Amino acid sequence: MPIEHRYADTDACARYLADELGPHLRIAAPLGLGKPHGLLNALYRLVAADSGRSMRLYTALSLTRPQPAPGLEQRFLGPFLERHFGADAVDPHYALDQARDALPANVEVHEFYLQSGALLRSASAQRSYISQNYTHVARDLAVQDINLLVQLVARREGADGVHYSLSCNPDLTLDFLRQVQLAGRRRPMCVAVVHPDLPYLGGDAEVAETYFDVELRPDTSPPLFALPRSPVGPAEYALGLHASALVKDGGCLQIGIGALSDALVKALLLRQQDNIPWRRALVALDPAGATHALAGQLGGLAPFEAGLYGASEMVMDGFMHLQRGGILKRRSWDNLALERASVAGQLNPATPGGHYLRGAFFLGSRALYEWLDATEAADPDAIDMCAVSNVNQLYGNHQALAMLQRRGARFFNTCMMATLLGAAASDTLEDGAVVSGVGGQYNFVAMAHELPDGRSVLLLRATRNSRGGIESNIRWNYGQTTIPRHLRDIVVTEYGVADLRGKSDSECIEAMLAIADARFLDALCAQAKAHGKLAADFAIPEAWRRHHPGHLHEVLAPLRHEGLLPKFPFGSDFTEVEQRLLPALEWLKAGSGNWRGKLRLLRACCRPGAAVSGEAEALARMGLANPLKPVDRLHRRLLQAALRRSALPGQPMPPASMPPGP
């Protein structure tokens, strides 16, 4: 039946839903981009204003704009956020209140994946977090007596009637409603909230009008949430270069998001388009040839001819760049016989049809959304958005096809910490505080072990900045585990590649020491020996002593000078003046974490040095050209010192952690 209830007024739609469903709302909403913030905010207001009502929301990745701290951060981010997100941007109000531990007593929010690092200090978010594999969410949600599902959709009206596209989020909606039906439970009321800018994607993501019970087409819609692009530094580039040699031509690729993924994508493009400089960089980073040896076994050094097939829970900007660069092009046919013919080389490459990218949800820049829209119009078969169960696992009626599609699979994910014995922590700190979530990482690691030639690759920065100074991300042990050591496979840092599959504990420890930062080698080696896991006469090779940031900076200098490793490999959302401010602000941020850093800041403030080019423009952008208040004059002095310090020759780029971004 056609939808009977259609609304243009969001508050009127919320009142209808509240009246129809009763005082207790149990809501499911997609992760990320697919959440209709306007409708959720209207429902939240209704419940918060009436203690006789309650609301329990199940979702993930509630995207909010960064909330800058007062002072220099506010001066920098305030104008940027308004420009980037737009004056009409809408945050989910429940998420803002949850971050402040200010949710009403009659509202609960349960998420299985948190905006990275945003809710570490929210006691209610930490208590309400649900630790789940992505592929288990629909199963577990089906028994929660959900009575309302709300989702942002794209709408198309044609000769055959109205159709909707789940667009950015077919991931859990398809699986969840299928699980509800299989369990014989009552189907929740389903609301389609139409957004005019959401790309309309067909295939599994397209559903008939009868899929929904209510349509909300607001008179105005806020802009789609677009992720700002982050800078990429030498450590990230080194890591990406190592990882790019592990990718096999004709294989399958899964990548995540962030600076490490951007570095990997840029390195793959260098391998394709600037192969000789790319090879020179690998040799400079690894004179002993360990990465080259693994490339010969697992990946390759030549440009891509057959190209890659993408199978990634998240479709992000990197896939767009790889497709435009002629790398993402191997197509997969959903007909098993055609796929087998392709594997046997009996299928004409010019045969039309098939997709080169399969995903469960997408999130990225506005350029990505425009590319998805244009690709669907020009090549409807190219991108297959589908249920997460069809992407993150091999099991079910699509198992044989999935194994053929994912031949030569390289599943790249990031982690926060790894142990010498090969375990990894990716979502939770040692004290149990959740940074993000498991998501699909375990799914892909397990899948890599099931595929005959699949490999899981965990990307890890060797060190991190903390209040106590620089710390190693490679540890003897760690209090939390996302990936257990019996599933250890490949770990990559800026200092090389550790192939851990099938290795003994002592071999694993040696491989991990070989990619650790030199400043922590002796302590790590001593711990392993103290626990009897490393031979007492083991000696650290001198080559490993070169593993420090200064060496990376020196090794990658030629590629930087050639313009092959730009700070923003795929363009920047920051102006040129803001890009000059970024390293200065990062230096201030890093220096304020402990008393030693604060002492250095004080010394630099007393003797800031000579003015540098562009300093006046940078001070004006921060509103500090002519400060009147004492605190503003102090901020000006600090910023001057930071600008002059960061402009000194040979200064390394800051780590790619500068806000904004989720």
Side-chain angles (χ1 to χ4, degrees):
M1 290 179 58
I3 291 177
E4 296 182 4
H5 302 280
R6 300 180 186 275
Y7 291 89
D9 183 273
T10 300
D11 287 327
C13 182
R15 285 193 297 271
Y16 165 75
L17 296 173
D19 291 343
E20 188 73 13
L21 296 172
H24 305 299
L25 296 177
R26 299 174 70 88
I27 307 173
L31 63 83
L33 192 63
K35 253 187 290 296
H37 291 175
L39 179 57
L40 286 171
N41 286 346
L43 291 167
Y44 180 56
R45 285 194 299 270
L46 278 175
V47 173
D50 185 351
S51 61
R53 294 182 176 275
S54 70
M55 170 177 156
R56 181 176 291 180
L57 174 64
Y58 293 89
T59 187
L61 195 57
S62 295
L63 296 168
T64 60
R65 290 168 291 176
Q67 305 295 310
L72 289 174
E73 189 173 311
Q74 172 61 48
R75 286 178 177 275
F76 179 78
L77 284 180
F80 170 79
L81 295 176
E82 185 173 349
R83 183 181 76 239
H84 180 81
F85 290 101
D88 298 326
V90 175
D91 290 318
H93 295 164
Y94 69 83
L96 297 178
D97 286 349
Q98 187 179 45
R100 299 184 295 111
D101 275 330
L103 283 176
N106 57 343
V107 174
E108 294 179 28
V109 178
H110 296 279
E111 299 196 63
F112 70 88
Y113 198 96
L114 308 179
Q115 190 171 355
S116 185
L119 296 172
L120 281 169
R121 294 179 180 84
S122 169
S124 65
Q126 292 294 323
R127 289 193 300 268
S128 299
Y129 165 76
I130 301 175
S131 185
Q132 296 167 298
N133 280 347
Y134 203 167
T135 50
H136 296 161
V137 174
R139 176 203 68 191
D140 297 343
L141 196 60
V143 299
Q144 294 295 337
D145 295 324
I146 301 298
N147 57 15
L148 177 63
L149 183 147
V150 297
Q151 172 142 7
L152 217 59
V153 301
R155 185 182 190 273
R156 179 176 290 173
E157 192 167 345
D160 57 346
V162 174
H163 285 79
Y164 299 106
S165 171
L166 302 180
S167 187
C168 55
N169 283 94
D171 52 336
L172 290 175
T173 300
L174 294 172
D175 281 336
F176 165 60
L177 292 179
R178 191 179 300 121
Q179 290 276 2
V180 168
Q181 183 181 16
L182 289 173
R185 292 177 175 269
R186 184 177 179 180
R187 192 177 191 268
M189 182 177 288
C190 298
V191 181
V193 182
V194 178
H195 197 293
D197 300 329
L198 203 60
Y200 193 102
L201 298 173
D204 287 347
E206 186 176 54
V207 296
E209 181 182 15
T210 53
Y211 201 79
F212 290 97
D213 305 295
V214 178
E215 179 192 84
L216 171 60
R217 296 175 69 187
D219 295 326
T220 59
S221 298
L224 294 172
F225 192 99
L227 296 176
R229 290 167 285 195
S230 299
V232 178
E236 289 77 33
Y237 270 128
L239 200 151
L241 287 163
H242 284 297
S244 64
L246 303 176
V247 180
K248 186 177 182 180
D249 190 20
C252 171
L253 183 68
Q254 194 274 147
I255 47 179
I257 195 167
L260 295 183
S261 296
D262 286 350
L264 170 59
V265 170
K266 179 62 176 176
L268 288 169
L269 290 169
L270 286 175
R271 173 178 163 182
Q272 180 77 357
Q273 300 165 352
D274 295 281
N275 192 259
I276 292 176
W278 176 79
R279 291 193 189 211
R280 284 204 313 264
L282 282 181
V283 172
L285 286 168
D286 179 33
T291 299
H292 276 70
L294 284 174
Q297 300 169 27
L298 306 176
L301 297 172
F304 298 93
E305 293 184 9
L308 302 177
Y309 168 76
S312 185
E313 66 180 27
M314 180 178 184
V315 172
M316 36 69 79
D317 288 54
F319 288 106
M320 170 181 70
H321 298 304
L322 291 173
Q323 188 272 334
R324 289 174 170 171
I327 296 175
L328 188 70
K329 62 182 181 181
R330 177 171 76 80
R331 296 201 179 231
S332 170
W333 284 259
D334 282 331
N335 181 294
L336 185 55
L338 284 176
E339 182 70 12
R340 283 174 174 160
S342 174
V343 173
Q346 300 167 354
L347 190 65
N348 186 336
T351 302
H355 58 275
Y356 52 69
L357 177 58
R358 165 169 280 181
F361 77 98
F362 64 74
L363 178 64
S365 68
R366 292 187 181 88
L368 172 69
Y369 307 151
E370 292 167 3
W371 174 75
L372 289 166
D373 205 31
T375 301
E376 174 70 16
D379 188 355
D381 292 332
I383 300 169
D384 178 27
M385 297 298 295
C386 59
V388 72
S389 58
N390 285 341
V391 180
N392 284 30
Q393 62 185 20
L394 297 171
Y395 314 112
N397 56 15
H398 70 293
Q399 180 174 359
L401 176 58
M403 294 184 75
L404 285 168
Q405 289 172 337
R406 298 167 206 188
R407 61 183 182 269
R410 299 294 178 264
F411 300 130
F412 290 95
N413 289 283
T414 59
C415 62
M416 303 184 305
M417 226 79 66
T419 70
L420 288 179
L421 292 172
S426 308
D427 62 302
T428 306
L429 300 180
E430 198 154 25
D431 62 1
V434 181
V435 176
S436 53
V438 177
Q441 183 170 119
Y442 185 93
N443 291 139
F444 282 103
V445 172
M447 187 163 34
H449 285 273
E450 295 294 328
L451 289 165
D453 56 355
R455 299 303 297 264
S456 159
V457 186
L458 294 181
L459 308 178
L460 171 72
R461 293 178 182 88
T463 62
R464 69 185 185 281
N465 290 318
S466 71
R467 290 190 174 275
I470 304 297
E471 295 186 18
S472 176
N473 286 331
I474 296 177
R475 307 276 293 267
W476 166 247
N477 56 15
Y478 196 69
Q480 302 291 332
T481 298
T482 310
I483 305 302
R485 70 186 181 106
H486 71 268
L487 290 179
R488 60 196 184 199
D489 202 341
I490 295 175
V491 179
V492 181
T493 74
E494 58 266 41
Y495 300 117
V497 182
D499 183 4
L500 310 179
R501 183 181 284 195
K503 299 290 177 63
S504 68
D505 279 359
S506 64
E507 291 171 330
C508 177
I509 291 169
E510 289 185 31
M512 291 297 291
L513 288 172
I515 62 171
D517 188 288
R519 291 167 288 184
F520 302 95
L521 278 174
D522 291 317
L524 289 169
C525 185
Q527 284 180 293
K529 289 180 178 180
H531 288 86
K533 287 290 188 175
L534 193 60
D537 61 351
F538 174 81
I540 297 171
E542 278 304 309
W544 299 359
R545 302 288 185 185
R546 293 196 297 268
H547 292 171
H548 55 81
H551 180 67
L552 290 181
H553 190 79
E554 178 184 339
V555 162
L556 296 178
L559 264 70
R560 284 203 315 277
H561 294 328
E562 293 176 43
L564 297 178
L565 301 180
K567 291 182 181 180
F568 291 89
F570 304 114
S572 176
D573 301 295
F574 299 106
T575 66
E576 289 186 11
V577 173
E578 288 168 344
Q579 289 181 48
R580 285 200 295 270
L581 280 163
L582 277 171
L585 293 171
E586 183 67 27
W587 182 75
L588 287 173
K589 179 180 176 182
S592 61
N594 55 59
W595 69 268
R596 290 187 182 89
K598 290 177 181 177
L599 182 59
R600 285 193 294 269
L601 290 181
L602 179 61
R603 289 171 178 166
C605 193
C606 294
R607 288 181 285 185
V612 295
S613 175
E615 184 176 304
E617 294 89 341
L619 291 171
R621 162 60 180 81
M622 296 289 283
L624 294 172
N626 296 292
L628 299 177
K629 297 179 181 179
V631 65
D632 293 338
R633 289 198 292 271
L634 174 62
H635 284 158
R636 174 189 168 93
R637 190 77 168 176
L638 282 168
L639 187 57
Q640 283 178 317
L643 286 165
R644 297 168 189 182
R645 163 66 169 69
S646 61
L648 291 174
Q651 289 301 319
M653 265 189 61
S657 60
M658 183 67 190

